[in-house]
Amino acid sequence: MNSVQDRIVAAVDRNFENQIQFLEELVRFRSLRGLENEAQDFIETALRKRRYAVSRFRTDAGKIGIHPAFSPATIDYASSWNVVGCRQADNRAGRSLAFNSHVDVVPAASVHRWTYPPFTTFRQGDWLYGRGAGDMKAGLVASIFALDAISDAGLELCSDVQVQSVVEEEITGNGSATAFAEGYVADVIFSPEPTDEQLVCANAGVIKFRLSTRGRPAHPREPQAGQSAIELMIRLVGHLRELERRWIEEGRTKTLFKDLPNPVALTFGTITGGDWIASIPSDCSVEGRIGFYPSEDPKDRAGEFENFLDEIRAADPVLAGEELVALEWIGCMHGGYELPEDTNAEACLRSAHALVNEKANLQSTVMTCYLDAAVFAVHGRIPSLVYGPIAENIHGINERVSLSSVRRVTKTMALFAAEWCGTREYK
């Protein structure tokens, strides 16, 4: 490393304990869907303290169904706020950069099964535990402290930089879609999702849905008079596994997806049904998601899903009839992407990664989940790098992030920003 790089890396090390304390404080905010505002206040205050020009704007429900980057949603976005800190360079000479992260987290699942309460934090060896510690508050904090390190090294960037803290990533992507639609773009997007220090080279598209079945409620003394909505749903889910198998087989012709055991992952995340233990249940609903392949139109895949339900109704007399099964689109309906090969942005990341990791080569991976980077890659054709720390049990019990990995990633992000944007001595 040259002297400038050494100064930046040393600045990350000097401030790392403060970085982890900042991360711990952020993890303690229960930034579940609709409850993100306190965490966003915290981020906004931190950015203003660092003299960023801060914009705070609602997720824009008015663009759903109009702007192609937006996905269906069923909630009121009146209190759904995104925060972007911008720092404009004097005498711009380099390339602009936006660090994009989401502050929203998923629920903590079975809280009683966590070793420590999920919205407290606990350090044990190299690990920091807490819901959202890995996905992806560590990355959000790393973006702030990576830029701090450049300033603390007595340097300033030669081009504009943004720190984006958005909501809705875990369900629709409409927070980043709003940022994109409002013009918060750059020459490269860098999203520090937990990727185990690998670069995402391809990302699946995702559609999310709610399915409902309508039964006939009855008393257990005459069960033959009723029809269980829960049993109808079990039958329906069994049929949908055939659709999953079809889409998995399509992946065998996709170079980047052909070796994955299940690149589309039909999953059912919630189920509700029935209202009394001794009644044949009247209604049941499940919410779920299924993936598909880059470059495909999510609306086409949604149409295939709808057509498959029609096939089920035609083939299975138990499920026949429009009134027995209903479908709603309630979340992400977005395409995936493949990262173009040999971009300057990727070369810059590879260089930074090698500097921090003793010349180790940067490995690539494929993500079969939704990523906000897709908004910028698909709709803006902007190189979008997804690279972040090692984390375990994300969306699970005892989620945790590796602190040594966070340190390495922060250094890599700082060196990337310095090379990509260019630096000069701070005046």
Side-chain angles (χ1 to χ4, degrees):
M1 283 188 275
N2 61 36
S3 60
V4 167
Q5 293 163 340
D6 286 334
R7 287 158 58 187
I8 292 171
V9 167
V12 172
D13 284 331
R14 282 196 306 273
N15 208 22
F16 191 66
E17 178 57 30
N18 290 332
Q19 178 178 343
I20 299 309
Q21 289 178 10
F22 186 99
L23 173 58
E24 288 177 312
E25 191 167 354
L26 183 59
V27 170
R28 294 183 191 115
F29 293 105
R30 285 181 78 250
S31 53
L32 301 166
R33 191 185 195 192
L35 301 175
E36 307 96 343
N37 279 349
E38 287 188 358
Q40 291 292 59
D41 290 344
F42 178 72
I43 294 298
E44 180 178 359
T45 298
L47 293 174
R48 290 192 185 280
K49 179 181 178 181
R50 290 163 169 80
R51 301 185 182 279
Y52 287 85
V54 177
S55 298
R56 187 181 181 116
F57 50 92
R58 287 187 180 91
T59 303
D60 192 342
K63 290 187 170 66
I64 294 172
I66 299 171
H67 193 294
F70 284 74
S71 295
T74 57
I75 68 165
D76 182 354
Y77 283 148
S79 60
S80 178
W81 292 92
N82 304 283
V83 170
V84 177
C86 301
R87 182 177 288 162
Q88 294 185 331
D90 296 328
N91 303 316
R92 296 183 190 90
R95 298 162 292 194
S96 60
L97 164 65
F99 285 125
N100 171 273
S101 305
H102 65 88
V103 76
D104 57 309
V105 300
V106 300
S110 303
V111 175
H112 65 280
R113 294 172 60 189
W114 285 65
T115 306
Y116 312 101
F119 291 102
T120 61
T121 55
F122 184 83
R123 296 192 213 183
Q124 188 173 62
D126 186 47
W127 298 99
L128 176 68
Y129 289 79
R131 171 57 87 229
D135 186 16
M136 63 171 297
K137 290 180 177 179
L140 171 55
V141 172
S143 66
I144 296 171
F145 279 78
L147 296 175
D148 283 355
I150 294 171
S151 299
D152 292 346
L155 303 164
E156 62 181 8
L157 296 177
C158 296
S159 192
D160 300 346
V161 66
Q162 299 173 31
V163 176
Q164 301 180 358
S165 177
V166 302
V167 300
E168 282 287 292
E169 190 274 349
E170 295 289 5
I171 178 65
T172 65
N174 286 342
S176 277
T178 302
F180 175 79
E182 293 292 330
Y184 291 100
V185 295
D187 292 323
V188 69
I189 303 296
F190 193 124
S191 180
E193 289 271 13
T195 66
D196 297 341
E197 297 180 51
Q198 300 176 87
L199 173 64
V200 174
C201 63
N203 166 230
V206 174
I207 50 179
K208 295 178 180 176
F209 56 82
R210 178 185 294 126
L211 284 166
S212 302
T213 51
R214 179 180 295 179
R216 289 193 306 274
H219 193 282
R221 71 181 183 182
E222 46 181 0
Q224 69 281 359
Q227 184 176 51
S228 167
I230 293 175
E231 292 181 13
L232 287 175
M233 184 61 72
I234 293 169
R235 192 178 187 96
L236 177 60
V237 167
H239 284 300
L240 285 168
R241 292 299 174 194
E242 172 57 29
L243 178 66
E244 181 183 38
R245 284 189 288 272
R246 290 184 193 178
W247 289 12
I248 289 171
E249 284 306 307
E250 291 179 28
R252 304 307 170 217
T253 65
K254 312 291 184 181
T255 301
L256 295 174
F257 291 81
K258 62 184 178 65
D259 295 326
L260 298 179
N262 188 348
V264 301
L266 172 66
T267 61
F268 300 94
T270 70
I271 182 168
T272 58
D275 55 12
W276 187 247
I277 194 170
S279 297
I280 305 299
S282 174
D283 295 283
C284 182
S285 68
V286 298
E287 295 174 337
R289 56 84 72 197
I290 189 168
F292 55 96
Y293 303 100
S295 79
E296 298 176 347
D297 189 327
K299 292 183 179 178
D300 290 342
R301 284 298 190 176
E304 287 185 45
F305 194 98
E306 292 166 353
N307 291 338
F308 187 78
L309 290 180
D310 290 338
E311 290 179 26
I312 292 171
R313 293 187 186 100
D316 187 338
V318 176
L319 293 168
E322 291 285 337
E323 73 282 357
L324 291 186
V325 178
L327 169 68
E328 300 172 79
W329 299 110
I330 61 165
C332 178
M333 186 178 286
H334 203 282
Y337 69 94
E338 291 185 12
L339 189 67
E341 294 183 0
D342 301 323
T343 62
N344 291 333
E346 181 177 340
C348 184
L349 178 59
R350 289 187 179 279
S351 173
H353 176 87
L355 285 169
V356 173
N357 292 276
E358 299 179 348
K359 300 183 179 180
N361 290 328
L362 176 62
Q363 302 299 309
S364 296
T365 188
V366 173
M367 285 285 187
T368 58
C369 56
Y370 168 78
L371 295 171
D372 268 349
V375 169
F376 302 93
V378 172
H379 302 286
R381 304 297 177 190
I382 300 170
S384 300
L385 306 177
V386 181
Y387 168 93
I390 296 168
E392 294 182 350
N393 306 324
I394 61 175
H395 288 216
I397 293 167
N398 289 336
E399 178 178 353
R400 62 184 191 172
V401 67
S402 163
L403 298 179
S404 59
S405 178
V406 172
R407 187 191 295 257
R408 290 191 298 271
V409 165
T410 305
K411 291 176 180 179
T412 299
M413 293 170 68
L415 294 177
F416 174 88
E419 182 179 346
W420 181 259
C421 299
T423 60
R424 52 189 166 225
E425 297 295 327
Y426 183 78
K427 296 179 181 178

